[in-house]
Short mmCIF file of all heavy atoms in Angstrom, two decimals:
data_model
loop_
_atom_site.label_atom_id
_atom_site.label_comp_id
_atom_site.label_asym_id
_atom_site.label_seq_id
_atom_site.Cartn_x
_atom_site.Cartn_y
_atom_site.Cartn_z
N PHE X 286 -4.99 -7.90 3.39
CA PHE X 286 -5.00 -6.60 4.05
C PHE X 286 -5.01 -5.52 2.98
O PHE X 286 -4.70 -5.78 1.81
CB PHE X 286 -3.81 -6.42 5.02
CG PHE X 286 -2.50 -6.92 4.49
CD1 PHE X 286 -1.69 -6.11 3.70
CD2 PHE X 286 -2.06 -8.20 4.77
CE1 PHE X 286 -0.48 -6.56 3.21
CE2 PHE X 286 -0.84 -8.67 4.29
CZ PHE X 286 -0.05 -7.85 3.50
N SER X 287 -5.39 -4.30 3.38
CA SER X 287 -5.69 -3.25 2.40
C SER X 287 -4.51 -2.34 2.09
O SER X 287 -4.43 -1.77 1.00
CB SER X 287 -6.86 -2.40 2.90
OG SER X 287 -6.56 -1.83 4.17
N THR X 288 -3.58 -2.15 3.02
CA THR X 288 -2.46 -1.24 2.80
C THR X 288 -1.17 -1.91 3.24
O THR X 288 -1.16 -2.82 4.08
CB THR X 288 -2.64 0.08 3.58
OG1 THR X 288 -2.79 -0.22 4.98
CG2 THR X 288 -3.86 0.84 3.09
N TRP X 289 -0.07 -1.43 2.67
CA TRP X 289 1.25 -1.92 3.02
C TRP X 289 1.79 -1.15 4.23
O TRP X 289 1.78 0.06 4.24
CB TRP X 289 2.24 -1.71 1.88
CG TRP X 289 1.99 -2.50 0.63
CD1 TRP X 289 1.59 -2.01 -0.57
CD2 TRP X 289 2.17 -3.90 0.44
NE1 TRP X 289 1.50 -3.01 -1.50
CE2 TRP X 289 1.85 -4.20 -0.91
CE3 TRP X 289 2.56 -4.94 1.30
CZ2 TRP X 289 1.92 -5.48 -1.42
CZ3 TRP X 289 2.62 -6.22 0.77
CH2 TRP X 289 2.30 -6.49 -0.56
N SER X 290 2.27 -1.86 5.20
CA SER X 290 3.14 -1.26 6.20
C SER X 290 4.58 -1.56 5.77
O SER X 290 4.82 -2.40 4.90
CB SER X 290 2.88 -1.84 7.59
OG SER X 290 3.20 -3.22 7.62
N LEU X 291 5.54 -0.86 6.36
CA LEU X 291 6.94 -1.13 6.01
C LEU X 291 7.31 -2.58 6.31
O LEU X 291 8.02 -3.22 5.53
CB LEU X 291 7.86 -0.17 6.77
CG LEU X 291 7.95 1.26 6.23
CD1 LEU X 291 8.80 2.11 7.16
CD2 LEU X 291 8.51 1.29 4.82
N ALA X 292 6.82 -3.09 7.44
CA ALA X 292 7.15 -4.47 7.81
C ALA X 292 6.56 -5.46 6.82
O ALA X 292 7.23 -6.39 6.37
CB ALA X 292 6.64 -4.75 9.23
N LYS X 293 5.28 -5.28 6.47
CA LYS X 293 4.64 -6.21 5.53
C LYS X 293 5.24 -6.11 4.14
O LYS X 293 5.41 -7.12 3.45
CB LYS X 293 3.14 -5.93 5.49
CG LYS X 293 2.41 -6.28 6.77
CD LYS X 293 0.95 -5.92 6.68
CE LYS X 293 0.21 -6.27 7.97
NZ LYS X 293 -1.23 -5.88 7.92
N LEU X 294 5.55 -4.89 3.71
CA LEU X 294 6.12 -4.71 2.39
C LEU X 294 7.51 -5.32 2.31
O LEU X 294 7.85 -6.02 1.35
CB LEU X 294 6.19 -3.21 2.05
CG LEU X 294 6.78 -2.85 0.68
CD1 LEU X 294 6.03 -3.55 -0.44
CD2 LEU X 294 6.76 -1.33 0.49
N ALA X 295 8.35 -5.08 3.32
CA ALA X 295 9.69 -5.66 3.33
C ALA X 295 9.63 -7.18 3.38
O ALA X 295 10.38 -7.88 2.69
CB ALA X 295 10.48 -5.11 4.52
N ASP X 296 8.71 -7.71 4.18
CA ASP X 296 8.56 -9.16 4.28
C ASP X 296 8.13 -9.75 2.95
O ASP X 296 8.63 -10.80 2.53
CB ASP X 296 7.52 -9.47 5.37
CG ASP X 296 7.56 -10.93 5.79
OD1 ASP X 296 8.59 -11.59 5.52
OD2 ASP X 296 6.58 -11.41 6.38
N PHE X 297 7.22 -9.08 2.26
CA PHE X 297 6.74 -9.58 0.96
C PHE X 297 7.86 -9.53 -0.09
O PHE X 297 7.99 -10.45 -0.90
CB PHE X 297 5.54 -8.74 0.51
CG PHE X 297 4.95 -9.19 -0.80
CD1 PHE X 297 4.12 -10.30 -0.85
CD2 PHE X 297 5.23 -8.51 -1.97
CE1 PHE X 297 3.57 -10.72 -2.06
CE2 PHE X 297 4.69 -8.91 -3.18
CZ PHE X 297 3.86 -10.03 -3.22
N LEU X 298 8.66 -8.47 -0.08
CA LEU X 298 9.74 -8.35 -1.06
C LEU X 298 10.76 -9.47 -0.89
O LEU X 298 11.26 -10.02 -1.88
CB LEU X 298 10.41 -6.99 -0.91
CG LEU X 298 9.58 -5.76 -1.27
CD1 LEU X 298 10.34 -4.48 -0.91
CD2 LEU X 298 9.21 -5.76 -2.75
N VAL X 299 11.06 -9.82 0.35
CA VAL X 299 12.02 -10.91 0.60
C VAL X 299 11.39 -12.25 0.24
O VAL X 299 12.03 -13.11 -0.38
CB VAL X 299 12.47 -10.89 2.08
CG1 VAL X 299 13.33 -12.11 2.39
CG2 VAL X 299 13.24 -9.61 2.37
N ALA X 300 10.12 -12.45 0.60
CA ALA X 300 9.46 -13.71 0.31
C ALA X 300 9.31 -13.96 -1.18
O ALA X 300 9.40 -15.09 -1.65
CB ALA X 300 8.08 -13.74 0.99
N GLU X 301 9.10 -12.89 -1.96
CA GLU X 301 8.93 -13.02 -3.41
C GLU X 301 10.27 -13.05 -4.16
O GLU X 301 10.28 -13.20 -5.37
CB GLU X 301 8.08 -11.86 -3.94
CG GLU X 301 6.63 -11.93 -3.51
CD GLU X 301 5.92 -13.16 -4.09
OE1 GLU X 301 6.00 -13.34 -5.32
OE2 GLU X 301 5.30 -13.91 -3.32
N GLY X 302 11.37 -12.88 -3.44
CA GLY X 302 12.66 -12.93 -4.08
C GLY X 302 13.06 -11.67 -4.81
O GLY X 302 14.00 -11.69 -5.61
N VAL X 303 12.34 -10.57 -4.56
CA VAL X 303 12.72 -9.30 -5.20
C VAL X 303 14.08 -8.84 -4.68
O VAL X 303 14.92 -8.36 -5.45
CB VAL X 303 11.64 -8.23 -4.95
CG1 VAL X 303 12.03 -6.91 -5.58
CG2 VAL X 303 10.29 -8.70 -5.49
N VAL X 304 14.29 -8.96 -3.38
CA VAL X 304 15.58 -8.66 -2.75
C VAL X 304 15.90 -9.79 -1.78
O VAL X 304 15.02 -10.51 -1.32
CB VAL X 304 15.55 -7.30 -1.99
CG1 VAL X 304 15.34 -6.16 -2.95
CG2 VAL X 304 14.44 -7.32 -0.93
N ASP X 305 17.18 -9.94 -1.49
CA ASP X 305 17.59 -10.95 -0.53
C ASP X 305 17.29 -10.51 0.90
O ASP X 305 16.89 -11.33 1.74
CB ASP X 305 19.09 -11.24 -0.67
CG ASP X 305 19.42 -11.87 -2.02
OD1 ASP X 305 18.54 -12.55 -2.57
OD2 ASP X 305 20.54 -11.66 -2.51
N ASP X 306 17.47 -9.24 1.15
CA ASP X 306 17.23 -8.71 2.50
C ASP X 306 17.15 -7.19 2.40
O ASP X 306 17.79 -6.57 1.54
CB ASP X 306 18.34 -9.12 3.46
CG ASP X 306 18.02 -8.78 4.90
OD1 ASP X 306 16.84 -8.51 5.19
OD2 ASP X 306 18.95 -8.76 5.74
#
Side-chain angles (χ1 to χ4, degrees):
F286 42 86
S287 58
T288 57
W289 293 111
S290 64
L291 283 175
K293 292 178 180 177
L294 179 56
D296 195 18
F297 182 78
L298 293 173
V299 173
E301 291 295 308
V303 179
V304 295
D305 295 331
D306 189 16

